[in-house]
Amino acid sequence: MTAPHEPIPGTTIFDGRMAMKGYPLNKMCYSFNEAAARQEFLADEEAYCAKFGLTDEQKTAIRERNALALLAAGGNIYYLAKFIGMLGLNVQDIGAQQTGMTVEEFKAKLKAAGN
């Protein structure tokens, strides 16, 4: 069992520091609850990212559609779910990326663990 202070391999710990770092990104992703916001983003992604003050790191991760980089840039998975949902992905897709598994392998692992 991993001690509470030891990171889990492949996992970005979302703590207070990461919350501050990711605030603009998470605020933008929260805005995707509204259809008009999603449309505005898709019409001009750069302008929409600038509207929320995303860092260069966050904008690059958005451009590259890199969910793991978004987590490393302070993204909270619950807010990022709004963005990744626009890409046709879900949280299990991200879990698979984090563990280096295929989605099918990741789902099987969850099922075997009783989740």
Side-chain angles (χ1 to χ4, degrees), residues 72-91:
N76 178 292
I77 191 62
Y78 297 105
Y79 293 115
L80 291 178
K82 308 296 183 195
F83 176 66
I84 63 174
M86 290 170 45
L87 306 176
L89 302 173
N90 62 43
V91 175

Side-chain angles (χ1 to χ4, degrees), residues 5 22 25-26 29 33 38 41 44 48 53 59 63 65 71 79-80 83 100-102 111-112 115:
H5 63 280
L25 172 62
N26 293 318
C29 288
N33 283 316
R38 295 189 297 271
F41 172 81
D44 188 345
Y48 202 75
K59 288 187 278 190
R63 271 187 234 106
R65 306 302 200 247
L71 290 169
Y79 293 115
L80 291 178
F83 176 66
M101 299 178 180
T102 67
K111 187 174 180 181
N115 294 321

Side-chain angles (χ1 to χ4, degrees), residues 29-88:
C29 288
Y30 180 79
S31 77
F32 297 144
N33 283 316
E34 302 295 327
R38 295 189 297 271
Q39 291 170 353
E40 183 181 346
F41 172 81
L42 293 171
D44 188 345
E45 294 183 16
E46 291 295 323
Y48 202 75
C49 289
K51 176 179 176 176
F52 285 89
L54 270 62
T55 66
D56 288 338
E57 175 188 17
Q58 293 165 342
K59 288 187 278 190
T60 298
I62 288 286
R63 271 187 234 106
E64 294 176 355
R65 306 302 200 247
N66 186 331
L68 298 181
L70 288 166
L71 290 169
N76 178 292
I77 191 62
Y78 297 105
Y79 293 115
L80 291 178
K82 308 296 183 195
F83 176 66
I84 63 174
M86 290 170 45
L87 306 176

Side-chain angles (χ1 to χ4, degrees), residues 10-28:
T11 301
T12 300
I13 304 299
F14 189 80
D15 56 12
R17 183 183 63 78
M18 291 300 278
M20 293 296 293
K21 178 180 180 180
Y23 182 78
L25 172 62
N26 293 318
K27 186 174 180 179
M28 182 183 82

